[in-house]
Each structure stands twice: as C-alpha cells, then as structure tokens.
Amino acid sequence: MARETADLVIVGGGPTGLSAAREAAKGGLQVVVLERESEAGGAPRYCGHHGFGMWDFGRVWTGPQYAQRLRSAVNGIDLRCGHAVTTLASRGFVEVSGNRGPYTIEARRVLMATGVYEKPSAARLISGGRPFGLLTTGALQRFVYLENRLPCRAPIVVGSELIAYSTILTLRHMGAKPVAFLECGDHASSALASRVSRLVFGIRTHKGARIVAVEGGSAVTGVTVEIQGHVRTLPCDGLVFTGDWVPEATLFRASHIGVDPVTKGPTVDAYYRTRDPHVFAAGNVLRSARSSGSCAVEGRNAARAILADFQGRLPSVKPHGIEEEVGVWKLRRRGENEKFCFAAPMAEHGPAGMFPAHT
Amino acid sequence: MANEAIRKQVFDAAIIGGGVVGCAVLRALTLAGLKCVLLERGPDLLSGASKANSAILHTGFDAQSGSLELKLLQSGRAIYLAIREQLGLPLLTSDAVLVAWNTAQAEKLPDIVARAHANGVTGVRPLTQEQLRAKHPYLDDSAIAALFVPGEYIIDPWSAPLAYALQAIENGAQVVRLAEVVSAARENNSWSLKTANGEFLANLVVNCAGNFGDLVEGFVRPSPFHVKPRKGQFVVFDKTAFQVMPKIVLPVPTERTKGVVLCPTIFGNVIVGPTAEDQTDRQLATVETATLRMLLTEAARIVPALADEPVTATFAGLRPATERRDYIIEPLLSEKWITVAGIRSTGLTAALGIAEHVTGLVGEHFCPLHPVRDVVWPRVPNLAEDQPRDYQRDGHGDLVCFCELVTRDEIEAALSGPLPAGDLGGLKRRTRAMFGRCQGFNCLAAVCSIAANRLLVPPPLPEMKSHGA
C-alpha cells in the first residue's frame, strides 16, 4: 500500500471543506482534499433553488452555481474526487480508497468536513412495508438535479421545515408536485412556507399527523396517517422524509475519537479540535444541518485555527481530553417528535474568529 | 429469457420456487446429471421467505432430536463447509453464547446441554460468569447462567443460494423468472407446467414453493399441509455495533420459537430479531414501530452498548411454517412429484442437506443418476467484510454506494453474467448497494440510472413529461 504525507488532509469537498482548503492553502499549507463523489461541491450541487453564496460571496446563486464557485476557488489545490476515506486512525493517519486502489496518507493535521444526511424511514422505525418510493429530500434532489429523473410524481412530504417545502421547487422543475405535507407537531416549523405552499401551490400541511403505516407492495401507493385522532389513508406514489439530519460521523464512531451522544457528531473544543489534537472537525458533521454559507465560514475559521496550531499558537489539549464545546448551545425540544434543534452562535462570531485571515 | 427451445424441451426435473431450498435442489439435481429448470414467480431468486433471515449457519444443538430437520440441517452444514471455499462463500466463525436471564430460564439449561449432546453437538457446555465475560465482554452483567455453543456461525444469506443457482446454470441448468406456475397437468407421463412466462415440460416436479407450498401442492393432491406464514421483524444496527458483538447471543428457546437473537452479520453489522407473528398474507411482511422499539429495547438490555448505536435498517421476513413441527419431504411415486415443505428458519443451513436428500429420493425412485464429471465451480463476488472487497482492489473505478463501499464495477457485474439481478431488491442482495445507513440518500438515484433499463422489473419510476429545464 502506497503512503504519502501532507500538511493537512481535508475529508469532504463540500462548502466547509473547500472553504477550509482555500484558506489553508493561502496560509501556505500543503493541502489534500478527499471527496468521495465524482465531483466536489457537496449538497449545493443538487439544490437547484436560489439562496446560495450570500454568506461567503455576497451573491445570490443557485446551489449548482455556488458549488461551481466553490470549486473554482480551489483551483491548483490537490483535490481528489472519487477518493473515499475508509479509516480515520490516530496520529493523523488516514486510509483512503481511491480509484487507483487503497493508500494511506500521513497528515500533520486532518480536518473532517463530512457533512450530514437525512434520517431515512428505516431509522425512523416507520411502520409498514418497504416499497420503492421511500425517499429523503437528498435522494429526491439527486434524482432530479443529478440524474434528470423523477422517482415519483405525487409524493407526500414528511416534515415542515424549509427543506420540506424546497421539494415543491425540486418537483416543479420536472412538472410534478407534492400532494401534502405532514408535520407531527402542532405547528409547521416554517409557518410562512406552509402558508405559501397552501395559498400559492394549493398544498396542505397536515399538523399533528402521525404516520401509522406505509402502504404498497412494490411501490408506494399511499400512507395511512392519524391526523388529530382520525385515521385515514392518503394516496401518493412516494414519501419524502425531510430534515432530521444525522451527522455523517461514521468515521468518528469507528475511531478512537467517538461521537457526542446528543449531537451524534464529534466533540470539538473552541478551535474545532477533537479529542485527538491531530484531528479537527467543522461544518455540519458537528450537529444538525445549517446553511452552506455558515458551513463555509466555519470551514474558513477551522482552517485559521489549524494554521495557528502550526504556528504553535493553540493551547495544548487538556489531559483528559474533555474540552469545552463551541459556544454554549441551547437545546430546544419541540413537541414529542424527538427532533432536536440547536440554537448555535453564528459561526463568524465563533471563537476561532479570533485568528486573522491570511492574505 | 424463456425462449422457444427451453419451452419445447422435456426437462428431467422442474423445480418450483427459487428460494434457498430451490436453488440448492437445482444445483444438486443438475450435478447429479439431470436436465433441470427452476421456475421462480418473482423477478429474481430469493424474493420470498429467503430474502430475510438471521443468516446463522446452525449446529442443530437445539433441534428436535431424531427429526428430519436435525439430520438435514447437520448434513447441509457439513456440505456448506466443504464446498464454500470453491464457490467463494464466506464464513464468520463467531460461535454463540446462550444466556439465561432468570432462574426459570437457567433451570432449562441442563436439558439444552443434554439435547445438544444427544444431537452430536458435544462442544456445548456451561460457562462460569468469568468465562462468559471473556467470551462476550459487552453482555449485560445481569446474566445469571450461560452456555457456550461453538460452531454457530454466520454466512452470507444471499450469496450462498445465488452461488448454488449459478453453479447449476454453469453446469447446464435453466432458471426462469417471472414464471409463477398457474396450472400443472400430467400429459403423456410428464408434467406440463403452465406459467406466466410460458409452458414447461418435465418428467419430475420438485415443489420448493416456500410460502406458496400448499397452493402448488394443490396441483397434485389436496394439500395435506397448510402454510401459515410466520413473520419475523428485525432491526439492523450500523457497523460500529459490530465491535461490541463478538458472539451470537441466543435466548433460551421456547416451544414455539428460537426467540429474539442478537447476532453479527457477515457484512459487519449487528441484527436483532426475529419476532414470531402468524399472519395470512403470503408475500407482504410489514414492520411495526412498536415492535421495532421493543427489539431495540431488548437489544440494549442484553448488550447495553447497543443503546447508543444508530439503526441502519429495519426489515421483516416470512417463514413458511406449517401445522407440523418437522420438515415435510415426500416423494409421490406415481405422480412423479417430490414435496419439500415447511422449511422454516433453519432452511438456510439445511438447504444443501435437503438437496442431497432429494437427490437420493430421485435416484431411488425416479431415474438413474449420472453425476457430472467435470463440474464447473464458479465463484461469487465477495461481500463479506472480513474478506478483501472490490473497493480495496487497484483500479476499482468509482464508488457508487458510500455507506457499503460498493463500486460501479460490482454493480455492473451484478447486472450481467448468467444470473443478472432481476429487480432492485436482487441488485441490493448481490452488491449491498442501498443497504447502508443512508438507505439511498446518496446512491439510490445513481443506482437507478445505471440499472433502470437493465432489470427484468425496473424500479417504478414515473414516465417523464417533457419539461423546460
């Protein structure tokens, strides 16, 4: 197995990883970015709607436009697409599966920026069969924007956060639309979007809805729901589960670092540093999803912390490896749906912001 | 698939049902020199009872002494261990501990040891608390007594039967899918089987129809048994759970069922299940939130570290139980028919033994056997986590499924060759793609694009309207 070295290995080529790569390279580090997909850019690649780039570029773009900007900002940096990290070992060793076979990088520092995915119906322990048509927003967007296909024409969307209502835009792109939204709480998470979806698109949000069972043998034919005490079956050809983000932290879970039981992501100190001082983490892998722009800012700040670390300006890790977390996060429990929402301080005011940008 | 030449041919034997038992019988009869055809109602093999089980290669330590089930389970296990390396099939030599959590259960342990020894499984022995801790350090410390059951192993529940079918095909057998048998009649001393995919002629029929066994039996006689599908629900934990599950954990069995088992999988996960719920539907096995929660609670009670492990998947399977306890394997001499029914959860282990037994019945009662001289031994792709996987090979190309590390080459291979995947489920069973923690968030769309036009039954994607994008 071949072995190479790097100053900084960044795992994940989304907004966090690419922004960090740019900043770290500006600071003179030899950076390798490992992206498992065939193209870098992260989730914005398949978010066709507008609203990207405001935080970090001061512009309003669609997701794919934003992803393109992120990519061109790292021109000249060693960006390897199709390279998946299979093991995060101690002392900065990273095992990689690339299209030229497996290899190991010995990195002086590692930044994990692996992002999130949405909890699928299985992990939500949803009752019923497992027909084709059980999707997440991410899967739906990939069908539409990456494969130019429709997985379903008239789905019901589970959730009422902004991401849920983004499915209207995604499906509209292909001439289809959701038939209803289901929210288990008593209020739509995004009240304005709920109103717009009803008034403009004629799509209702059922509040206080509990899924009784998914119907269908080979394909979804409907969903039986209890809405405020009444049980009925709503016909649909797909179910799109939205929100309820899970950090893509499997590499941490399987490593010596582990994850926090509440956030399900790694614990970091004020400098985005994990229990292992060789390994940093930033972006959505730390907790539930936040916007790509705030992730990009966080990636930049993490890169600055790593640069400071190389200059010996970070305090040493406390011996027990228990560090203070980034800011003081308030936990807010909503209803009985076991969804957690973190009110975190804005990343740009985060503690790592104390380090000046390198020019 | 079923071309005219196949339809006009008179086969020596037709096997109805492409589950693990049908695949093994197809292999054994083909290697015994018979021209065979397997008729499967689904779009792919293993679409019924065989698609969901706990994947344990049993020893038979707790089987009914003197039963046909015990005999065939033990011979099937021996054949699996003898042939697996030639077919490229994996084996996880995990062994098991059987744990009593209260005095009533503990009182049953001596009988279990006695039965195990009577069944020839002589390694089963009581463990002290210290020994139990050493075997399974993550077990909850409230266990009051335990047995060690060496030889309870884990296998790949899909690659194994697919390998049996593939070897049969490579040695001359035919597999026809989407071929539900709708009627069967004796004509000129042979069977004419009308299916949804054409008519087939055969001198002998072997009924391996699993959950539809009694319906198929109705073609030859009023069925002396009735299939009562018994549902089992399972929860799959993510791969990080594997490190806290070094041994299979068995409960003290009851009269009715082996009970809820915790076991590692060959793919590096951990599963908990099954439940045992009678139902009438022969095809659709649904999961229920409350039951899944119960399984999770049970798992965390037995191995507390599992409480923090994320759930990767949930599934339910149907075992073709009948009103009889034992397997039903009967030759009907004048009708030229062999019934193989009531093969319950032990079928994965017993399949090769059942096949050998059926072959013996064929040689004894129906036709001379001329075993194939130069047997072809195809190898199936490895999906087991303890063996080298395709993604570890130099120049493997793109990864498509990131959770299970499945390459594009593996998906291409599963869509081609003599036994290509027939539907998305078959593709999952051949590659593990879409089986992982994100359940297709990352790869479903890409897999559908690669596979959609190449499957016998493509995923039900809606027709595309033209649009402005």
Side-chain angles (χ1 to χ4, degrees):
Chain A
M1 205 186 265
R3 175 178 295 179
E4 54 182 293
T5 58
D7 287 339
L8 174 62
V9 162
I10 297 177
V11 183
T16 309
L18 294 181
S19 304
R22 183 184 180 202
E23 191 72 14
K26 268 200 287 181
L29 298 187
Q30 177 230 339
V31 181
V32 176
V33 182
L34 301 171
E35 168 55 53
R36 61 189 188 178
E37 307 242 16
S38 56
E39 183 185 54
R45 287 184 308 133
Y46 46 86
C47 295
H49 51 271
H50 281 81
F52 292 86
M54 292 180 290
W55 285 60
D56 40 343
F57 290 94
R59 300 282 295 275
V60 181
W61 288 314
T62 65
Q65 287 170 333
Y66 175 60
Q68 178 55 45
R69 285 309 179 107
L70 287 172
R71 283 194 296 270
S72 35
V74 295
N75 264 343
I77 292 176
D78 186 352
L79 166 61
R80 303 178 189 175
C81 293
H83 288 235
V85 173
T86 51
T87 307
L88 176 63
S90 59
R91 296 195 306 281
F93 283 88
V94 171
E95 287 174 23
V96 190
S97 169
N99 47 27
R100 59 187 155 100
Y103 63 100
T104 302
I105 306 182
E106 182 181 358
R108 294 173 67 195
R109 294 293 179 270
V110 178
L111 174 63
M112 301 292 290
T114 45
V116 280
Y117 62 93
E118 288 163 293
K119 190 182 272 192
S121 59
R124 298 180 189 219
L125 306 181
I126 299 288
S127 294
R130 294 176 305 141
F132 185 83
L134 295 177
L135 302 165
T136 47
T137 327
L140 173 70
Q141 288 171 335
R142 283 168 184 262
F143 266 106
V144 170
Y145 292 115
L146 298 184
E147 309 294 336
N148 203 30
R149 285 168 188 276
L150 259 185
C152 49
R153 183 160 286 285
I156 285 179
V157 178
V158 183
S160 68
E161 294 171 47
L162 271 181
I163 177 92
Y165 295 100
S166 80
T167 57
I168 298 178
L169 304 175
T170 305
L171 286 168
R172 190 173 173 219
H173 188 72
M174 306 291 265
K177 88 177 184 184
V179 292
F181 292 87
L182 299 178
E183 165 57 46
C184 46
D186 293 331
H187 303 283
S189 299
S190 176
L192 177 64
S194 162
R195 199 164 303 146
V196 169
S197 99
R198 181 163 53 84
L199 295 178
V200 178
F201 299 98
I203 310 168
R204 264 192 76 178
T205 301
H206 298 285
K207 294 160 200 132
R210 183 180 69 86
I211 296 180
V212 177
V214 174
E215 308 295 341
S218 59
V220 172
T221 56
V223 56
T224 300
V225 285
E226 182 186 324
I227 300 171
Q228 291 168 356
H230 300 284
V231 177
R232 58 184 161 133
T233 299
L234 305 173
C236 59
D237 67 353
L239 265 179
V240 183
F241 291 86
T242 69
D244 211 347
W245 302 94
V246 185
E248 182 61 274
T250 312
L251 290 168
F252 280 112
R253 295 187 68 86
S255 78
H256 55 298
I257 299 172
V259 296
D260 180 271
V262 175
T263 64
K264 312 292 185 196
T267 309
V268 292
D269 67 7
Y271 313 99
Y272 299 98
R273 187 168 50 179
T274 68
R275 288 165 201 281
D276 178 344
H278 292 90
V279 180
F280 291 65
N284 279 334
V285 69
L286 296 179
R287 54 13 224 166
S288 299
R290 287 173 31 205
S291 76
S292 55
S294 93
C295 287
V297 172
E298 197 168 87
R300 200 169 68 202
N301 287 336
R304 288 176 190 166
I306 291 166
L307 286 165
D309 191 17
F310 275 110
Q311 294 157 1
R313 290 197 288 132
L314 290 196
S316 57
V317 174
K318 290 172 195 162
H320 298 297
I322 308 298
E323 306 87 26
E324 57 182 303
E325 294 182 10
V326 177
V328 181
W329 292 2
K330 287 178 186 160
L331 193 59
R332 185 159 56 97
R333 189 190 270 270
R334 278 183 305 182
E336 295 177 356
N337 57 7
E338 296 179 14
K339 277 191 291 188
F340 294 100
C341 173
F342 290 97
M346 292 305 178
E348 62 190 331
H349 304 306
M354 69 184 72
F355 301 107
H358 285 260
T359 47
Chain B
M1 147 159 305
N3 61 37
E4 278 309 306
I6 298 176
R7 292 196 184 114
K8 283 185 183 152
Q9 184 175 353
V10 180
F11 288 94
D12 295 326
I15 291 106
I16 301 179
V20 60
V21 175
C23 291
V25 170
L26 179 73
R27 171 184 177 273
L29 293 183
T30 302
L31 297 187
L34 275 67
K35 270 190 304 173
C36 299
V37 64
L38 183 148
L39 304 173
E40 162 57 42
R41 69 193 303 277
D44 204 345
L45 302 177
L46 317 179
S47 295
S50 299
K51 79 177 163 194
N53 60 66
S54 54
I56 298 176
L57 189 73
H58 295 287
T59 57
F61 79 98
D62 58 347
Q64 193 71 35
S65 297
S67 64
L68 184 61
E69 180 182 31
L70 173 64
K71 181 184 155 202
L72 300 185
L73 186 156
Q74 291 187 329
S75 62
R77 171 193 172 88
I79 300 171
Y80 181 86
L81 293 175
I83 68 171
R84 69 169 191 92
E85 281 174 348
Q86 278 173 285
L87 292 172
L89 293 172
L91 184 72
L92 185 64
T93 54
S94 57
D95 302 322
V97 289
L98 187 149
V99 184
W101 301 98
N102 56 45
T103 47
Q105 289 175 352
E107 283 163 9
K108 290 186 178 170
L109 296 188
D111 290 346
I112 294 173
V113 174
R115 174 180 284 192
H117 291 188
N119 290 357
V121 188
T122 50
V124 175
R125 60 178 188 273
L127 292 173
T128 64
Q129 287 286 351
E130 290 73 33
Q131 289 167 330
L132 179 61
R133 265 335 114 217
K135 296 272 184 220
H136 199 318
Y138 303 95
L139 207 63
D140 187 67
D141 53 17
S142 64
I144 64 165
L147 301 179
F148 181 50
V149 188
E152 294 279 309
Y153 296 154
I154 300 294
I155 64 174
D156 179 339
W158 303 300
S159 293
L162 287 171
Y164 310 156
L166 186 64
Q167 191 180 23
I169 293 171
E170 298 276 4
N171 287 282
Q174 302 284 344
V175 170
V176 185
R177 294 175 278 186
L178 294 178
E180 180 177 7
V181 177
V182 290
S183 71
R186 298 276 291 159
E187 288 170 9
N188 308 325
N189 211 23
S190 69
W191 281 99
S192 165
L193 304 173
K194 288 204 171 61
T195 78
N197 199 354
E199 189 173 344
F200 297 87
L201 304 175
N203 291 324
L204 171 72
V205 169
V206 187
N207 172 9
C208 302
N211 282 317
F212 295 85
D214 51 349
L215 301 184
V216 169
E217 195 70 8
F219 294 135
V220 66
R221 58 174 170 169
S223 180
F225 60 90
H226 297 94
V227 172
K228 298 175 172 175
R230 187 169 299 159
K231 181 167 79 175
Q233 301 186 42
F234 290 87
V235 177
V236 185
F237 288 100
D238 201 0
K239 301 200 185 300
T240 43
F242 190 81
Q243 59 206 17
V244 299
M245 273 296 297
K247 297 271 175 284
I248 302 167
V249 182
L250 302 170
V252 175
T254 65
E255 273 305 294
R256 185 175 146 76
T257 157
K258 280 178 178 293
V260 172
V261 178
L262 262 175
C263 58
T265 75
I266 202 89
F267 313 121
N269 297 76
V270 170
I271 59 174
V272 56
T275 54
E277 308 159 54
D278 291 328
Q279 69 173 50
T280 51
D281 195 307
R282 294 167 187 264
Q283 284 188 86
L284 186 62
T286 58
V287 294
E288 280 94 38
T289 307
T291 310
L292 299 172
R293 280 192 205 287
M294 181 276 289
L295 287 174
L296 286 174
T297 307
E298 183 73 356
R301 182 185 67 76
I302 296 168
V303 177
L306 290 175
D308 296 330
E309 288 298 333
V311 170
T312 290
T314 60
F315 65 93
L318 297 175
R319 22 214 207 278
T322 66
E323 59 273 62
R324 304 196 206 170
R325 269 190 79 92
D326 205 357
Y327 292 175
I328 303 165
I329 301 181
E330 283 175 30
L332 305 180
L333 301 187
S334 54
E335 290 85 357
K336 292 209 156 189
W337 180 284
I338 299 177
T339 304
V340 182
I343 313 297
R344 296 178 300 170
S345 53
T346 48
L348 180 66
T349 306
L352 293 166
I354 294 168
E356 185 187 56
H357 181 66
V358 167
T359 308
L361 294 175
V362 171
E364 186 182 338
H365 300 294
F366 298 113
C367 64
L369 307 178
H370 304 287
V372 175
R373 285 224 185 114
D374 300 310
V375 175
V376 182
W377 287 89
R379 288 177 69 85
V380 288
N382 173 59
L383 302 180
E385 208 52 31
D386 63 337
Q387 301 289 319
R389 299 231 357 246
D390 194 58
Y391 76 84
Q392 290 158 317
R393 176 174 60 84
D394 276 6
H396 62 66
D398 296 343
L399 280 179
V400 175
C401 167
F402 305 122
C403 301
E404 298 293 316
L405 298 166
V406 183
T407 67
R408 185 178 292 267
D409 288 359
E410 286 181 290
I411 291 176
E412 289 290 338
L415 291 168
S416 49
L419 188 55
D423 63 356
L424 222 47
L427 188 60
K428 282 185 183 182
R429 294 191 284 274
R430 280 171 181 73
T431 64
R432 287 170 48 179
M434 304 168 281
F435 260 147
R437 61 188 71 86
C438 86
Q439 294 279 297
F441 174 95
N442 287 304
C443 73
L444 178 64
V447 170
C448 283
S449 279
I450 299 169
N453 299 324
R454 297 163 66 182
L455 296 169
L456 215 50
V457 175
L461 300 171
E463 286 294 310
M464 301 278 289
K465 284 182 195 163
S466 60
H467 57 82

